[in-house]
Amino acid sequence: VEVAEAFSLSPETLYLAVNCLDRYLSGNVITELNLQLLGVSCIMISAKYYGRGSVRAPPRQVESFCYITDYTYSSNELLEMESCVLNYLKFELTTPTANCFLSRFVPQGKREEEVLSHLLFESLASYLCELSLLDYAMLRY
């Protein structure tokens, strides 16, 4: 979350990164030392995926991601982990995320006469989705 904020990435990018990380961890064992490497690699993958044609999140260079980890990992290590993640996921990145669902669900509840309640509904829905990123127990909602 902090890396996504530091790079001003879109919410879609963060949700895709978490999705990739979860799917990779569901079938692979990784040491605690390499968990940050995996997280940054997933963010790099999703930034590249959503960065194309977007003003908010242009594709980042690998060095930027090395910098954000205080150069704990080299660019070769990041690229190697990126390759491992993409190969494990079989390059299937286009999966629905909570944010994807939210972007389609929230507008359906909109009524012109209730702008304030709609904004409250949208904020609450976004808040609950963001909680699901940080708290495993929230995934069922």
Side-chain angles (χ1 to χ4, degrees), residues 10-71:
S10 66
E12 294 88 5
T13 304
L14 176 61
Y15 282 90
L16 179 61
V18 171
N19 182 287
C20 291
L21 186 129
D22 283 343
R23 288 169 45 211
Y24 184 83
L25 286 176
S26 70
N28 295 284
V29 176
I30 196 160
T31 64
E32 191 175 335
L33 294 173
N34 288 330
L35 195 57
Q36 182 183 23
L37 175 63
L38 175 63
V40 171
S41 297
C42 289
I43 288 180
M44 188 169 69
I45 290 167
S46 60
K48 287 178 181 179
Y49 183 82
Y50 279 114
R52 303 218 182 263
S54 171
V55 176
R56 283 185 82 182
R60 303 289 176 181
Q61 296 196 5
V62 178
E63 284 302 315
S64 299
F65 289 98
C66 291
Y67 170 78
I68 206 75
T69 65
D70 278 342
Y71 295 99

Side-chain angles (χ1 to χ4, degrees), residues 68-115:
I68 206 75
T69 65
D70 278 342
Y71 295 99
T72 304
Y73 307 102
S74 68
S75 58
N76 287 338
E77 289 174 308
L78 276 173
L79 293 172
E80 187 177 320
M81 181 57 81
E82 177 187 36
S83 176
C84 288
V85 171
L86 288 171
N87 285 325
Y88 178 76
L89 299 178
K90 298 176 185 163
F91 288 81
E92 294 175 5
L93 299 177
T94 312
T95 61
T97 62
N99 192 56
C100 217
F101 172 74
L102 192 62
S103 66
R104 298 187 191 286
F105 176 71
V106 168
Q108 299 304 317
K110 186 177 184 180
R111 293 187 187 150
E112 289 183 28
E113 66 274 1
E114 299 175 0
V115 174

